[in-house]
Structures are given as structure tokens and as C-alpha cells.
Amino acid sequence: MATDAFNQKDILEEKRLINGPAVSVNQLMPLKYRWAWEHYLNGCANHWMPNEVPMASDIELWRSNRLSEAERLVIMRNLGFFATAESLVGNNLVLAIFKHITNAECRQYLLRQAFEEAVHTHAFLYIVESLGLDEREVFTMYHRIPAIQRKDAFEMKLTYALLDPTFSTAEPEQAQQFLDNLIGYYVIMEGIFFYSGFAMILSFHRRNLMTGIGQQFQYILRDETIHLNFGIDLINGIKVENPDLWTPEFERHIMELIEEAVELEIAYAYDCLPEGIAGLHAPAFARYVRHIADRRLERIGLPAVYHEPHPFPWLSETIDLSKEKNFFETRVTEYRSAATLEWD
């Protein structure tokens, strides 16, 4: 028994988020990072599939003349952005992040997250097919719309270095590049770019418009809330285990990265909302982007920059940023998966 306890202690001490022992078997037990396992369990509890969401009312509304051109633009822009952005996140997880995380429970969560990114991509295909949209127009928007293209290019440049077969987090400079990637995808892509899109689409849901799309965005929001929380825990965990990486110069670099992302997202808001729609106007949306950027900075131990109040009080029921860590203790929308199969 004493030997077993000693071995467990040795295993726990050897476990590290990065630069741990080479991974051969995904040795989950004993768990060291229980937060990672909790995020995995929360993700499993939120399981859903797009084609279980009815789209009849959305189809009827989309084919009618009850939506303005400005409203249609907001919906199309967000479908175009999310359709490719979700695949970028999935590719980054599988090709760039997974192999450099040396902890089993974090890898377990990453596998779950990668599946969820596939479900989200499936959701946008399902929406496009349901509404009878031009698939090429939606899925190639990142080529044609500068505001979307710039955001995607911003993220992709953070992946390039990690795709080099010789890349390793063993050296401090490369470990900082890895943190750049984590912050770029978890804090910026999923924590800023995605959240602003949620606000736009859920403004329709609030008005009882495009409720099928709104329901799917609520489920995606739940997934992304866990992704964000996992990413922040991972970043902060690496920071604790490798304090030499988090230098004043690196902090300044991260703050500049987030400030650049805020400007990209504000430009995207003006592209989506050139004239505004009911409840959403670009100047107010710019304040919202700055507000959530401050919340993200604070959660990775950096000071707020913008000090903007929350401009959309109606969002508090759906996206309560002050309670993100407890988001799943109470479900916003009741959802029950079809949990039984009938066999012939």
C-alpha cells in the first residue's frame, strides 16, 4: 500500500501541463488537474446535435418579407464568420495544441472540445441547408469580406509556428509562442470574437425571430463558455508552473495582441451593422467588445484597459459575464437529448 501511495505521488509530481513526460498512454489516474476533468464532464452534460433543433419557423420567416435587408446582413455575416472560424479552432486544437499538452486530463477535454467544434461546423451547414442559402457564398465569405478575412488571418498567423514539425515548448521563446496561440484562440477567438457574434444573433432570439438559429447559438454559447473557462484555467496553470515565461515584456505583448483583436472586432461590428437594427447599433456594440475584452484581460491576471460599462442590459440573462464560472449550475434553456436508440 505504501509503495502504491508513493507511486501515485510520483505520478502526480511528474504531471505537467506542458513539458511533462512524453505521452504514450493517456494516463488519467491519479487526476492532478481536477478543473480539466470538471470541464470535460460539463461538456458531456451539454451534449446536443443540430438536427434535433426545429427550423420550420426560421425557414418561413427567411422566405417572407418580414426581415429587413439590414437584419439579413447581420445574420449572413455571422453565418459566414462562424462557418469558417469554428473549423479554424478545430484544426488548431488537433494540429497545433493537442500534441504539446502533456497532461492526460487536459487531453481528454481537448478531445471533447474537438468533437464540439465539429458539431458547431455541422450546425452552420444545417442552418445553411435549412434556409436554402448559397453554400459557396457562406463558406467562402472569409475570402470576400475584409472584416472577416482580417480576423481569420489574425488567428491563423498564431498557428503557423506550431505547425513546424520541429516546434517544441522546451525553449522559453517557443513556450511563449504556445501561450500566444492559447490566448489567441481561447481568450480572443472564443472569448471575444465569438461572444460578440452571440450577442448579435441572440438579439434576434430575444425578439422571437429566427428562433431555431437562436436556440443553436444558445447551445453553442454553452459549449464556448466551457471552452473559454478551460482555456483560461490552462493558461493560468501554465503561468503558475512556468513563471519565468510571464515576463513584463510578454504581458505587454499580450495586451497589444488583445487590443489589436478589439480593433478588428469593432471593424467587424461596423461591417455587420452599417445602419444598425432594433436593439443593436455599431457604436454600442464597440463598447460591448471593449467591455468583454476587459473581462478577459482580468481573468488572465492583466489590468483592464477600456473600463466600458455593459451596454446591453438584456444580455445579462443569456451571457452573464460575472457568473461564467457557474454558467452550467442553472440551465438557461431546458434541453434534453434523445438518449435512447431503437434497434430493429
Side-chain angles (χ1 to χ4, degrees), residues 47-67:
H47 182 75
W48 65 284
M49 292 301 292
N51 57 338
E52 295 172 329
V53 178
M55 289 289 291
S57 63
D58 296 57
I59 295 167
E60 187 275 329
L61 178 59
W62 190 258
R63 291 176 178 174
S64 75
N65 60 2
R66 287 183 285 148
L67 289 174

Side-chain angles (χ1 to χ4, degrees), residues 154 251-261:
F154 172 89
E251 287 190 355
R252 284 194 294 272
H253 164 70
I254 293 305
M255 293 186 72
E256 288 169 3
L257 201 66
I258 291 176
E259 288 170 17
E260 180 184 352

Side-chain angles (χ1 to χ4, degrees), residues 111-261:
L111 292 171
R112 173 72 204 186
Q113 185 186 346
F115 168 73
E116 289 171 1
E117 304 301 350
V119 170
H120 299 172
T121 301
H122 177 183
F124 295 110
L125 179 60
Y126 174 59
I127 291 168
V128 167
E129 289 180 335
S130 297
L131 299 182
L133 303 178
D134 182 335
E135 294 177 10
R136 182 178 178 84
E137 179 184 359
V138 173
F139 283 89
T140 63
M141 210 174 285
Y142 73 102
H143 282 311
R144 297 179 291 100
I145 307 302
I148 294 175
Q149 187 179 50
R150 286 193 291 267
K151 290 202 295 180
D152 286 354
F154 172 89
E155 295 292 343
M156 286 188 286
K157 72 182 180 183
L158 299 175
T159 304
Y160 291 146
L162 276 62
L163 296 179
D164 185 332
T166 66
F167 181 86
S168 164
T169 58
E171 296 299 322
E173 184 178 347
Q174 290 178 304
Q176 287 178 330
Q177 284 183 306
F178 187 65
L179 278 170
D180 267 6
N181 182 285
L182 295 178
I183 291 166
Y185 277 87
Y186 282 111
V187 176
I188 294 173
M189 177 72 103
E190 297 188 287
I192 298 176
F193 291 170
F194 281 12
Y195 267 68
S196 59
F198 296 145
M200 289 189 196
I201 295 299
L202 292 175
S203 73
F204 287 87
H205 194 66
R206 172 179 176 247
R207 295 161 55 205
N208 204 32
L209 300 173
M210 307 306 286
T211 54
I213 294 177
Q215 190 175 3
Q216 290 179 74
F217 266 73
Q218 283 186 318
Y219 300 152
I220 293 170
L221 168 60
R222 292 186 193 167
D223 292 338
E224 297 298 347
T225 299
I226 304 178
H227 299 179
L228 172 63
N229 289 335
F230 170 82
I232 286 172
D233 283 341
L234 179 62
I235 291 160
N236 287 335
I238 293 172
K239 177 180 174 181
V240 168
E241 291 183 352
N242 305 271
D244 55 307
L245 300 178
W246 207 264
T247 63
E249 293 77 16
F250 185 68
E251 287 190 355
R252 284 194 294 272
H253 164 70
I254 293 305
M255 293 186 72
E256 288 169 3
L257 201 66
I258 291 176
E259 288 170 17
E260 180 184 352

